[in-house]
Amino acid sequence: MTKHSIILTALLLLCCGTAVHAQDDKPTFTADLYGGLYLNNEPAWQLEPSVSWLFHKYLGVAFGLELTSQYNQPSRQTTIDGQKAELTDNERNIRWIIFKPSVVLKSPTVWESTDNDYRLCFQIEPGLSLACPFRNSLTYEIKEFAGSVSQTVDYRRFPNKGLQWFYWNARASVNFAIGRFILRGGYYLSNLDYYSGRRNITLANGQKFYVPKRELSQSVFLSIGYSFPHF
């Protein structure tokens, strides 16, 4: 599927959703906070505040802003001009900020308590990811040693080429409502290239900076939300 067809599909879904708005005069606004862990390659967390508007009982739109970062990554060393060099501390972990508009497709309630305070349903959210890395380059500290003690004597920056920023995503969840609070748990899939900001960096020795091969990004998540009816 091309980028243009993805955009067209998303716009058509949004337009169709707008057309059925008149079918329900009680739209619902929900604020959620998602947290999850990516399952691919090197460990990374994700945190996403999101707002959604269900203008129909089973259909709506959502807008999220994901912050994601690797953690506990080791220093990557190389040789520059015959001296040892390592990544600066604040560039060891890859970080992204991702704007995520999506369409919300909600199932009918599959279970509810007799007083309707507890409800269970399912939800899927196909959407787009407009992603921006915190850095599209790498900076190395060049070290000079006096015995076993080192000090930084210079810095060298290596730019990346061919950054990709446009992706698709999809989220599926089980939703358990307790009054106006909503607890979700589920699975997230995207073609986000987590290493795009480093995939085409050539170091001083002429070799490319190593990153894992490209694959679909997968994560599991939990979230808590609050619903404001009759928005």
Side-chain angles (χ1 to χ4, degrees), residues 101-115:
S102 62
V103 176
V104 179
L105 303 172
K106 186 177 178 182
S107 78
T109 299
V110 297
W111 175 86
E112 63 182 352
S113 61
T114 54
D115 57 7

Side-chain angles (χ1 to χ4, degrees), residues 33-60:
L33 181 63
Y34 292 86
L37 293 174
Y38 279 96
L39 305 177
N40 306 79
N41 297 315
E42 299 162 344
W45 55 261
Q46 60 182 159
L47 186 67
E48 180 188 337
S50 176
V51 294
S52 60
W53 180 39
L54 268 66
F55 43 69
H56 183 267
K57 191 174 183 180
Y58 305 123
L59 183 62

Side-chain angles (χ1 to χ4, degrees), residues 3-23:
K3 294 180 180 179
H4 292 93
S5 61
I6 293 173
I7 295 174
L8 181 59
T9 301
L11 291 175
L12 288 174
L13 288 171
L14 290 175
C15 291
C16 291
T18 304
V20 300
H21 173 257
Q23 297 180 18

Side-chain angles (χ1 to χ4, degrees), residues 22-33:
Q23 297 180 18
D24 193 340
D25 60 355
K26 297 179 180 179
T28 302
F29 174 81
T30 303
D32 294 279
L33 181 63

Side-chain angles (χ1 to χ4, degrees), residues 25-230:
D25 60 355
K26 297 179 180 179
T28 302
F29 174 81
T30 303
D32 294 279
L33 181 63
Y34 292 86
L37 293 174
Y38 279 96
L39 305 177
N40 306 79
N41 297 315
E42 299 162 344
W45 55 261
Q46 60 182 159
L47 186 67
E48 180 188 337
S50 176
V51 294
S52 60
W53 180 39
L54 268 66
F55 43 69
H56 183 267
K57 191 174 183 180
Y58 305 123
L59 183 62
V61 292
F63 299 92
L65 188 66
E66 178 183 337
L67 301 174
T68 176
S69 173
Q70 292 179 330
Y71 55 92
N72 295 332
Q73 294 302 302
S75 172
R76 298 282 292 274
Q77 297 182 344
T78 187
T79 300
I80 300 176
D81 298 333
Q83 294 179 291
K84 290 185 178 180
E86 61 183 34
L87 277 177
T88 57
D89 289 343
N90 63 348
E91 296 190 20
R92 294 183 183 183
N93 298 307
I94 297 174
R95 298 180 177 91
W96 288 85
I97 181 170
I98 309 171
F99 176 62
K100 296 160 65 174
S102 62
V103 176
V104 179
L105 303 172
K106 186 177 178 182
S107 78
T109 299
V110 297
W111 175 86
E112 63 182 352
S113 61
T114 54
D115 57 7
N116 200 37
D117 278 348
Y118 302 93
R119 303 174 303 281
L120 186 69
C121 69
F122 301 98
Q123 183 170 300
I124 58 173
E125 294 181 46
L128 304 176
S129 294
L130 309 178
C132 178
F134 276 53
R135 288 181 176 83
N136 191 35
S137 64
L138 289 178
T139 303
Y140 273 86
E141 298 178 338
I142 299 176
K143 300 289 187 177
E144 189 175 82
F145 286 83
S148 60
V149 179
S150 68
Q151 64 175 349
T152 301
V153 296
D154 201 0
Y155 295 88
R156 183 74 65 84
R157 177 178 173 272
F158 298 94
N160 180 62
K161 298 179 181 179
L163 174 71
Q164 296 183 15
W165 58 271
F166 186 91
Y167 303 95
W168 57 260
N169 67 74
R171 178 159 54 201
S173 63
V174 178
N175 300 354
F176 182 63
I178 306 173
R180 294 187 180 182
F181 289 94
I182 303 174
L183 304 177
R184 310 180 201 271
Y187 171 78
Y188 174 83
L189 181 69
S190 173
N191 68 336
L192 170 70
D193 180 6
Y194 210 92
Y195 305 92
S196 182
R198 297 184 174 184
R199 192 164 294 282
N200 296 299
I201 291 178
T202 301
L203 300 176
N205 59 9
Q207 295 183 343
K208 276 193 172 183
F209 184 84
Y210 170 77
V211 294
K213 66 179 182 179
R214 183 168 180 171
E215 60 182 350
L216 292 177
S217 293
Q218 305 175 67
S219 69
V220 291
F221 65 86
L222 296 173
S223 79
I224 184 169
Y226 187 80
S227 180
F228 302 86
H230 315 309

